[in-house]
Amino acid sequence: QVQLVESGGGLVQAGGSLRLSCVASGRTFSIAAMGWFRQTPGKEREFVADINWSGGSTYYEDFVKGRFTISRDNAKNTVYLQMNSLKPEDTAVYYCAARLTGSDSYEDWGQGTQVTVSS
């Protein structure tokens, strides 16, 4: 199991930027990929972006392409989400998740960090 702790959320005006961080601990040697998801009240959690832990390949949902960048620092067991050109519709609780080697789904989750974008 991997423990995940997010930070970096907050209140920002539309057009602004935030950088989220997620530090992993525990069985970090078994991480295959890490991702960011988000959820708003009354809606299901949705995928934002993820990154392969060894090769660094990335994948983004269409609604964040060109605005958000996911990156990792393996030495620090940390994944980042740089969010630029934020829009009010980006307001959500953002969750970090880990997919472990041998698994095809994200099973370990952080507690979430609130991002609020004002218009």
Side-chain angles (χ1 to χ4, degrees):
Q1 189 177 9
V2 173
Q3 293 77 45
L4 303 169
V5 178
E6 303 101 331
S7 62
L11 173 64
V12 64
Q13 288 188 332
S17 299
L18 282 175
R19 189 176 82 153
L20 305 182
S21 301
C22 174
V23 180
S25 60
R27 296 173 59 88
T28 57
F29 58 88
S30 61
I31 295 175
M34 291 187 71
W36 288 96
F37 296 73
R38 67 187 189 185
Q39 187 171 24
T40 54
K43 292 187 177 181
E44 291 191 358
R45 192 173 298 182
E46 62 181 0
F47 172 82
V48 175
D50 69 3
I51 186 166
N52 179 277
W53 204 239
S54 58
S57 60
T58 58
Y59 185 82
Y60 297 90
E61 194 57 75
D62 285 346
F63 55 73
V64 301
K65 284 182 179 178
R67 299 189 300 125
F68 291 9
T69 302
I70 189 171
S71 62
R72 79 204 194 288
D73 185 333
N74 296 67
K76 295 182 179 179
N77 292 319
T78 301
V79 64
Y80 304 97
L81 186 67
Q82 177 66 44
M83 304 186 294
N84 298 329
S85 302
L86 282 162
K87 305 174 182 180
E89 50 264 44
D90 293 319
T91 296
V93 177
Y94 283 72
Y95 295 91
C96 171
R99 179 170 61 79
L100 305 185
T101 302
S103 174
D104 59 1
S105 62
Y106 285 91
E107 298 178 346
D108 294 314
W109 296 84
Q111 81 288 352
T113 185
Q114 176 70 47
V115 171
T116 303
V117 185
S118 64
S119 57

Short mmCIF file of all heavy atoms in Angstrom, two decimals, residues 71-99:
data_model
loop_
_atom_site.label_atom_id
_atom_site.label_comp_id
_atom_site.label_asym_id
_atom_site.label_seq_id
_atom_site.Cartn_x
_atom_site.Cartn_y
_atom_site.Cartn_z
N SER A 71 4.10 16.25 -13.71
CA SER A 71 5.51 15.89 -13.68
C SER A 71 5.81 15.11 -12.41
O SER A 71 4.96 15.05 -11.51
CB SER A 71 6.39 17.14 -13.77
OG SER A 71 6.17 17.99 -12.66
N ARG A 72 7.00 14.55 -12.34
CA ARG A 72 7.35 13.74 -11.16
C ARG A 72 8.79 13.98 -10.77
O ARG A 72 9.62 14.34 -11.59
CB ARG A 72 7.13 12.26 -11.46
CG ARG A 72 8.25 11.63 -12.28
CD ARG A 72 7.82 10.43 -13.04
NE ARG A 72 8.92 9.65 -13.56
CZ ARG A 72 9.71 9.99 -14.57
NH1 ARG A 72 9.57 11.17 -15.14
NH2 ARG A 72 10.66 9.17 -15.00
N ASP A 73 9.07 13.72 -9.52
CA ASP A 73 10.43 13.69 -8.99
C ASP A 73 10.57 12.37 -8.25
O ASP A 73 10.12 12.24 -7.11
CB ASP A 73 10.66 14.88 -8.06
CG ASP A 73 12.10 14.97 -7.58
OD1 ASP A 73 12.78 13.92 -7.51
OD2 ASP A 73 12.55 16.08 -7.27
N ASN A 74 11.15 11.40 -8.93
CA ASN A 74 11.24 10.06 -8.35
C ASN A 74 12.04 10.04 -7.05
O ASN A 74 11.71 9.30 -6.13
CB ASN A 74 11.85 9.07 -9.34
CG ASN A 74 10.99 8.90 -10.58
OD1 ASN A 74 10.83 9.81 -11.37
ND2 ASN A 74 10.43 7.72 -10.75
N ALA A 75 13.08 10.84 -6.98
CA ALA A 75 13.92 10.87 -5.78
C ALA A 75 13.14 11.35 -4.56
O ALA A 75 13.42 10.95 -3.44
CB ALA A 75 15.13 11.76 -6.01
N LYS A 76 12.15 12.20 -4.80
CA LYS A 76 11.33 12.73 -3.71
C LYS A 76 9.99 12.01 -3.60
O LYS A 76 9.16 12.39 -2.77
CB LYS A 76 11.08 14.22 -3.92
CG LYS A 76 12.34 15.08 -3.85
CD LYS A 76 12.01 16.56 -4.03
CE LYS A 76 13.26 17.42 -3.94
NZ LYS A 76 12.94 18.86 -4.12
N ASN A 77 9.77 11.02 -4.45
CA ASN A 77 8.49 10.30 -4.47
C ASN A 77 7.32 11.27 -4.55
O ASN A 77 6.31 11.13 -3.84
CB ASN A 77 8.35 9.42 -3.23
CG ASN A 77 9.33 8.26 -3.23
OD1 ASN A 77 9.57 7.64 -4.26
ND2 ASN A 77 9.92 7.98 -2.09
N THR A 78 7.46 12.24 -5.42
CA THR A 78 6.48 13.32 -5.51
C THR A 78 6.01 13.51 -6.95
O THR A 78 6.82 13.44 -7.88
CB THR A 78 7.08 14.64 -4.99
OG1 THR A 78 7.48 14.46 -3.63
CG2 THR A 78 6.06 15.77 -5.06
N VAL A 79 4.72 13.73 -7.09
CA VAL A 79 4.15 14.07 -8.38
C VAL A 79 3.53 15.46 -8.25
O VAL A 79 3.02 15.83 -7.19
CB VAL A 79 3.11 13.03 -8.83
CG1 VAL A 79 1.91 12.98 -7.90
CG2 VAL A 79 2.66 13.28 -10.25
N TYR A 80 3.62 16.21 -9.34
CA TYR A 80 3.13 17.58 -9.35
C TYR A 80 2.07 17.76 -10.43
O TYR A 80 2.05 17.05 -11.43
CB TYR A 80 4.28 18.56 -9.63
CG TYR A 80 5.44 18.44 -8.69
CD1 TYR A 80 6.56 17.69 -9.03
CD2 TYR A 80 5.43 19.09 -7.45
CE1 TYR A 80 7.63 17.57 -8.17
CE2 TYR A 80 6.51 18.97 -6.59
CZ TYR A 80 7.60 18.22 -6.95
OH TYR A 80 8.66 18.11 -6.08
N LEU A 81 1.22 18.75 -10.22
CA LEU A 81 0.29 19.15 -11.26
C LEU A 81 0.35 20.67 -11.34
O LEU A 81 -0.15 21.37 -10.43
CB LEU A 81 -1.14 18.70 -10.96
CG LEU A 81 -2.14 18.96 -12.09
CD1 LEU A 81 -1.81 18.10 -13.31
CD2 LEU A 81 -3.57 18.70 -11.64
N GLN A 82 1.00 21.17 -12.38
CA GLN A 82 1.05 22.61 -12.62
C GLN A 82 -0.20 22.99 -13.39
O GLN A 82 -0.43 22.48 -14.49
CB GLN A 82 2.30 22.98 -13.41
CG GLN A 82 2.40 24.45 -13.76
CD GLN A 82 2.58 25.34 -12.54
OE1 GLN A 82 3.36 25.02 -11.65
NE2 GLN A 82 1.85 26.46 -12.50
N MET A 83 -0.98 23.90 -12.83
CA MET A 83 -2.24 24.29 -13.44
C MET A 83 -2.18 25.77 -13.80
O MET A 83 -2.05 26.62 -12.93
CB MET A 83 -3.40 24.03 -12.46
CG MET A 83 -3.47 22.60 -11.97
SD MET A 83 -4.93 22.26 -10.96
CE MET A 83 -4.58 23.30 -9.55
N ASN A 84 -2.24 26.04 -15.10
CA ASN A 84 -2.21 27.41 -15.61
C ASN A 84 -3.53 27.74 -16.28
O ASN A 84 -4.31 26.86 -16.62
CB ASN A 84 -1.06 27.58 -16.60
CG ASN A 84 0.30 27.33 -15.98
OD1 ASN A 84 0.51 27.59 -14.79
ND2 ASN A 84 1.22 26.82 -16.78
N SER A 85 -3.76 29.02 -16.50
CA SER A 85 -4.97 29.48 -17.18
C SER A 85 -6.22 28.86 -16.56
O SER A 85 -7.10 28.35 -17.26
CB SER A 85 -4.90 29.15 -18.68
OG SER A 85 -3.77 29.74 -19.27
N LEU A 86 -6.28 28.90 -15.26
CA LEU A 86 -7.38 28.25 -14.55
C LEU A 86 -8.71 28.91 -14.86
O LEU A 86 -8.80 30.14 -15.05
CB LEU A 86 -7.12 28.26 -13.05
CG LEU A 86 -6.11 27.20 -12.58
CD1 LEU A 86 -5.55 27.53 -11.21
CD2 LEU A 86 -6.75 25.83 -12.58
N LYS A 87 -9.75 28.09 -14.90
CA LYS A 87 -11.11 28.53 -15.19
C LYS A 87 -12.01 28.21 -14.00
O LYS A 87 -11.71 27.27 -13.24
CB LYS A 87 -11.64 27.81 -16.42
CG LYS A 87 -10.77 27.93 -17.66
CD LYS A 87 -11.32 27.07 -18.78
CE LYS A 87 -10.44 27.14 -20.02
NZ LYS A 87 -10.97 26.29 -21.12
N PRO A 88 -13.10 28.93 -13.83
CA PRO A 88 -14.02 28.61 -12.72
C PRO A 88 -14.48 27.15 -12.75
O PRO A 88 -14.67 26.54 -11.69
CB PRO A 88 -15.18 29.57 -12.95
CG PRO A 88 -14.56 30.75 -13.62
CD PRO A 88 -13.50 30.16 -14.52
N GLU A 89 -14.61 26.57 -13.93
CA GLU A 89 -15.04 25.17 -14.02
C GLU A 89 -13.97 24.17 -13.58
O GLU A 89 -14.23 22.97 -13.49
CB GLU A 89 -15.51 24.82 -15.44
CG GLU A 89 -14.55 25.21 -16.54
CD GLU A 89 -14.87 26.56 -17.16
OE1 GLU A 89 -15.18 27.51 -16.41
OE2 GLU A 89 -14.79 26.65 -18.41
N ASP A 90 -12.76 24.66 -13.30
CA ASP A 90 -11.72 23.80 -12.74
C ASP A 90 -11.88 23.65 -11.23
O ASP A 90 -11.16 22.87 -10.61
CB ASP A 90 -10.33 24.37 -13.03
CG ASP A 90 -9.98 24.34 -14.50
OD1 ASP A 90 -10.29 23.32 -15.17
OD2 ASP A 90 -9.39 25.32 -15.00
N THR A 91 -12.80 24.40 -10.64
CA THR A 91 -13.04 24.30 -9.21
C THR A 91 -13.47 22.88 -8.84
O THR A 91 -14.41 22.34 -9.42
CB THR A 91 -14.12 25.30 -8.77
OG1 THR A 91 -13.65 26.63 -8.99
CG2 THR A 91 -14.47 25.11 -7.30
N ALA A 92 -12.74 22.29 -7.89
CA ALA A 92 -13.00 20.90 -7.50
C ALA A 92 -12.06 20.52 -6.37
O ALA A 92 -11.13 21.25 -6.05
CB ALA A 92 -12.78 19.95 -8.68
N VAL A 93 -12.32 19.36 -5.79
CA VAL A 93 -11.34 18.73 -4.92
C VAL A 93 -10.45 17.86 -5.82
O VAL A 93 -10.97 17.02 -6.57
CB VAL A 93 -11.99 17.88 -3.82
CG1 VAL A 93 -10.93 17.18 -2.98
CG2 VAL A 93 -12.88 18.75 -2.93
N TYR A 94 -9.16 18.07 -5.73
CA TYR A 94 -8.22 17.33 -6.56
C TYR A 94 -7.57 16.23 -5.72
O TYR A 94 -7.09 16.48 -4.60
CB TYR A 94 -7.15 18.28 -7.12
CG TYR A 94 -7.67 19.09 -8.27
CD1 TYR A 94 -8.58 20.13 -8.06
CD2 TYR A 94 -7.28 18.82 -9.58
CE1 TYR A 94 -9.08 20.87 -9.12
CE2 TYR A 94 -7.77 19.56 -10.64
CZ TYR A 94 -8.67 20.57 -10.41
OH TYR A 94 -9.17 21.30 -11.46
N TYR A 95 -7.57 15.03 -6.28
CA TYR A 95 -7.03 13.86 -5.60
C TYR A 95 -5.85 13.29 -6.37
O TYR A 95 -5.86 13.21 -7.60
CB TYR A 95 -8.09 12.76 -5.51
CG TYR A 95 -9.28 13.12 -4.67
CD1 TYR A 95 -10.40 13.72 -5.23
CD2 TYR A 95 -9.31 12.83 -3.30
CE1 TYR A 95 -11.51 14.04 -4.47
CE2 TYR A 95 -10.41 13.15 -2.52
CZ TYR A 95 -11.51 13.76 -3.12
OH TYR A 95 -12.60 14.07 -2.35
N CYS A 96 -4.86 12.89 -5.61
CA CYS A 96 -3.72 12.16 -6.15
C CYS A 96 -3.98 10.67 -5.95
O CYS A 96 -4.59 10.26 -4.95
CB CYS A 96 -2.48 12.60 -5.38
SG CYS A 96 -1.00 11.67 -5.70
N ALA A 97 -3.53 9.85 -6.91
CA ALA A 97 -3.72 8.41 -6.81
C ALA A 97 -2.52 7.68 -7.36
O ALA A 97 -1.80 8.20 -8.22
CB ALA A 97 -4.98 8.00 -7.57
N ALA A 98 -2.32 6.47 -6.87
CA ALA A 98 -1.21 5.63 -7.31
C ALA A 98 -1.74 4.31 -7.87
O ALA A 98 -2.65 3.71 -7.30
CB ALA A 98 -0.25 5.37 -6.16
N ARG A 99 -1.15 3.93 -8.99
CA ARG A 99 -1.42 2.60 -9.55
C ARG A 99 -0.16 1.77 -9.37
O ARG A 99 0.93 2.18 -9.75
CB ARG A 99 -1.79 2.69 -11.03
CG ARG A 99 -2.07 1.35 -11.68
CD ARG A 99 -2.68 1.52 -13.08
NE ARG A 99 -1.81 2.23 -13.99
CZ ARG A 99 -0.77 1.68 -14.63
NH1 ARG A 99 -0.48 0.41 -14.44
NH2 ARG A 99 -0.03 2.40 -15.46
#
